[in-house]
């Protein structure tokens, strides 16, 4: 119940963020990410398509394409399995709006990407701890995927999304880095 309340509280904070400030902070976060060797060295990234209240990922995806990187985005199964696969996109036209204002790849237009080929995974979330743990949106898709993913993991967050401590479950998988508008934080495992 605590996670549910924290999710709701943070989502309200994100929704109330001024649009100009949202844009400025998103650009600052992207700039921090682009300066990381993890970004420079990655030839293939995994990333979600952000919703309006999240750190903007569309500009990050455009930059990846300009730099010749491959970009894969997740497609979640809606059956009871709660599995997630990544598909390579080459344009935003490879996406469809599925549910809850989420954009996912159109399977017939895209190619399945193996986790082994994705060198940098940009993991979404709502609240982040110094240890790299996160409270996501409650589906558990990323924790299941990350359990067998061996590449580098980064989360993007506005500075106010960092919390000193959050509830952690045994199945939660921390990210290695958290990039905010104020700087880059290496997770303290």
């Amino acid at each position: 119940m605590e996670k549910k309340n924290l999710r709701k509280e943070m989502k309200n904070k994100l929704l109330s963020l001024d649009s100009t400030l949202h844009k400025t902070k998103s650009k600052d976060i992207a700039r921090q990410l682009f300066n990381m060797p993890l970004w420079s060295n990655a030839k293939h990234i995994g990333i979600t398509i952000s919703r309006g209240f999240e750190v903007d990922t569309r500009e990050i995806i455009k930059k990846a394409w300009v730099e010749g990187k491959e970009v894969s985005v997740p497609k979640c199964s809606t059956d009871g399995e709660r599995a997630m696969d990544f598909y390579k996109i080459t344009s935003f036209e490879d996406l469809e709006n599925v549910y809850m204002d989420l954009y996912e790849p159109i399977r017939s237009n895209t190619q399945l990407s193996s986790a082994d080929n994705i060198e940098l995974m940009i993991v979404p979330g709502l609240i982040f701890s110094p240890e790299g743990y996160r409270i996501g949106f409650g589906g558990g898709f990323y924790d299941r995927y990350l359990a067998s993913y061996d590449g580098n993991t980064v989360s993007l967050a506005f500075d106010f999304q960092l919390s000193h401590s959050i509830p952690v479950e045994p199945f939660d998988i921390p990210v290695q880095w958290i990039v905010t508008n104020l700087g880059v934080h290496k997770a303290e495992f």
Side-chain angles (χ1 to χ4, degrees), residues 23 27 30 33-34 39 45 47-49 56-71 73 89-93 95 122:
K23 188 178 270 191
K27 283 183 180 178
L33 175 67
F34 299 151
W39 172 267
I45 66 167
I47 189 168
T48 58
I49 307 299
D56 181 20
T57 60
R58 288 181 184 266
E59 294 305 313
I60 293 168
I61 292 168
K62 289 177 191 174
K63 173 88 166 170
W65 286 330
V66 165
E67 293 183 5
K69 297 182 189 303
E70 292 183 313
V71 175
V73 297
I89 63 167
T90 56
S91 130
F92 290 117
E93 292 177 15
L95 302 168
I122 299 175

Side-chain angles (χ1 to χ4, degrees), residues 5 20 31 35 41 56 87 93 100 136 142 152 174 188:
N5 292 336
T20 303
R31 196 170 19 260
N35 287 329
N41 296 333
D56 181 20
Y87 290 81
E93 292 177 15
M100 291 175 40
Y142 269 90
N152 295 304
E188 305 161 3

Side-chain angles (χ1 to χ4, degrees), residues 51-177:
R51 292 182 279 175
F53 61 87
E54 297 174 280
V55 173
D56 181 20
T57 60
R58 288 181 184 266
E59 294 305 313
I60 293 168
I61 292 168
K62 289 177 191 174
K63 173 88 166 170
W65 286 330
V66 165
E67 293 183 5
K69 297 182 189 303
E70 292 183 313
V71 175
S72 290
V73 297
K75 177 88 175 163
C76 298
S77 71
T78 50
D79 59 18
E81 206 176 299
R82 290 188 175 250
M84 180 173 71
D85 290 308
F86 281 77
Y87 290 81
K88 189 165 49 169
I89 63 167
T90 56
S91 130
F92 290 117
E93 292 177 15
D94 290 338
L95 302 168
E96 63 183 340
N97 190 317
V98 287
Y99 55 90
M100 291 175 40
D101 206 28
L102 290 172
Y103 283 85
E104 292 188 347
I106 302 167
R107 281 194 180 116
S108 59
N109 294 8
T110 56
Q111 177 186 346
L112 183 65
S113 298
S114 163
D116 297 339
N117 294 331
I118 301 173
E119 297 155 304
L120 177 62
M121 183 65 65
I122 299 175
V123 182
L126 287 167
I127 307 169
F128 304 89
S129 76
E131 298 81 25
Y133 288 102
R134 63 190 185 82
I135 294 178
F137 294 91
F141 289 97
Y142 269 90
D143 287 316
R144 276 190 280 291
Y145 191 87
L146 293 175
S148 59
Y149 175 75
D150 291 327
N152 295 304
T153 54
V154 173
S155 283
L156 311 176
F158 299 116
D159 54 296
F160 60 85
Q161 290 179 269
L162 296 178
S163 177
H164 294 296
S165 72
I166 59 174
V168 176
E169 310 276 348
F171 52 79
D172 289 340
I173 308 281
V175 295
Q176 299 161 328
W177 299 88

Side-chain angles (χ1 to χ4, degrees), residues 6-59:
L6 290 169
R7 273 187 199 100
K8 185 177 179 184
E9 189 178 305
M10 183 55 71
K11 196 168 175 190
N12 286 337
K13 275 187 191 177
L14 288 163
L15 287 166
S16 68
L17 183 62
D18 172 77
S19 62
T20 303
L21 199 52
H22 180 277
K23 188 178 270 191
T24 301
K25 286 185 177 209
S26 285
K27 283 183 180 178
D28 291 343
I29 291 165
R31 196 170 19 260
Q32 299 276 4
L33 175 67
F34 299 151
N35 287 329
M36 294 179 72
L38 288 178
W39 172 267
S40 307
N41 296 333
K43 294 176 183 74
H44 192 162
I45 66 167
I47 189 168
T48 58
I49 307 299
S50 58
R51 292 182 279 175
F53 61 87
E54 297 174 280
V55 173
D56 181 20
T57 60
R58 288 181 184 266
E59 294 305 313

